[in-house]
Amino acid sequence: MKQSSLTLLVGLFVIIGAGALLFMSVSIGGASISQSGQYSLVAKFDSASGLKEGAFVEVAGVRVGKATSIEFDPQMFQAVVVIALDKSVEVPDDSIAAIRTAGIIGDRFIKIIPGGSDLFLEEGEEIIETESSISLEELVSKYMFSQE
């Protein structure tokens, strides 16, 4: 009798521990189980170099979403990025989406610079104005070869 209650107690402890680990990994990883509180926008960039799926999206220095997919459009020769934003964030239709670097050599993220329009983008619409990522190699080579 004592052995079976000890086994039950250990099994319960293992299940609770596994549940806690799952919860912590989802919370720390920034994943969400439901996406009902989000909507998607599209942004097309000439270069999405260094940007990864799951990269955060920020407005005014606050994280408000993430990049859910990055694909190549062979007709336009552009990177098409789908952005999932919190429903509470309204993006004016004249806003700018820019790929920035967190710190000097940090991860790339998308910064949305709000415009002044009274019209807001809705599910699936495109942010027209974009600024691609800046390549450090291109800047260095441009500087080196432009001096005469």
Side-chain angles (χ1 to χ4, degrees):
M1 184 71 171
K2 192 173 186 178
Q3 180 69 21
S4 64
S5 64
L6 180 63
T7 304
L8 180 66
L9 188 62
V10 169
L12 190 61
F13 180 74
V14 168
I15 291 172
I16 291 171
L21 283 174
L22 178 66
F23 175 77
M24 286 176 28
S25 65
V26 169
S27 297
I28 291 172
S32 65
I33 295 174
S34 78
Q35 292 188 346
S36 62
Q38 296 181 332
Y39 71 103
S40 296
L41 296 178
V42 175
K44 295 179 181 177
F45 298 93
D46 291 332
S47 172
S49 175
L51 188 68
K52 298 176 184 163
E53 288 185 14
F56 64 90
V57 178
E58 79 172 27
V59 177
V62 178
R63 292 183 184 190
V64 295
K66 65 180 180 178
T68 56
S69 80
I70 303 169
E71 296 179 3
F72 177 67
D73 180 356
Q75 276 96 24
M76 300 296 293
F77 286 97
Q78 291 182 316
V80 179
V81 180
V82 178
I83 301 167
L85 296 173
D86 295 336
K87 284 207 181 232
S88 63
V89 178
E90 293 183 320
V91 179
D93 67 351
D94 61 344
S95 297
I96 300 170
I99 298 176
R100 298 287 189 250
T101 304
I104 296 174
I105 55 172
D107 288 336
R108 301 280 169 115
F109 68 96
I110 298 174
K111 178 178 183 177
I112 297 179
I113 304 158
S117 175
D118 291 334
L119 302 174
F120 298 100
L121 295 172
E122 295 182 19
E123 173 73 34
E125 291 189 325
E126 181 180 346
I127 299 173
I128 303 296
E129 292 292 323
T130 60
E131 294 177 6
S132 297
S133 59
I134 298 170
S135 170
L136 191 58
E137 293 95 12
E138 288 177 21
L139 288 175
V140 170
S141 66
K142 188 181 286 187
Y143 176 75
M144 287 176 55
F145 294 117
S146 68
Q147 292 194 356
E148 295 178 10

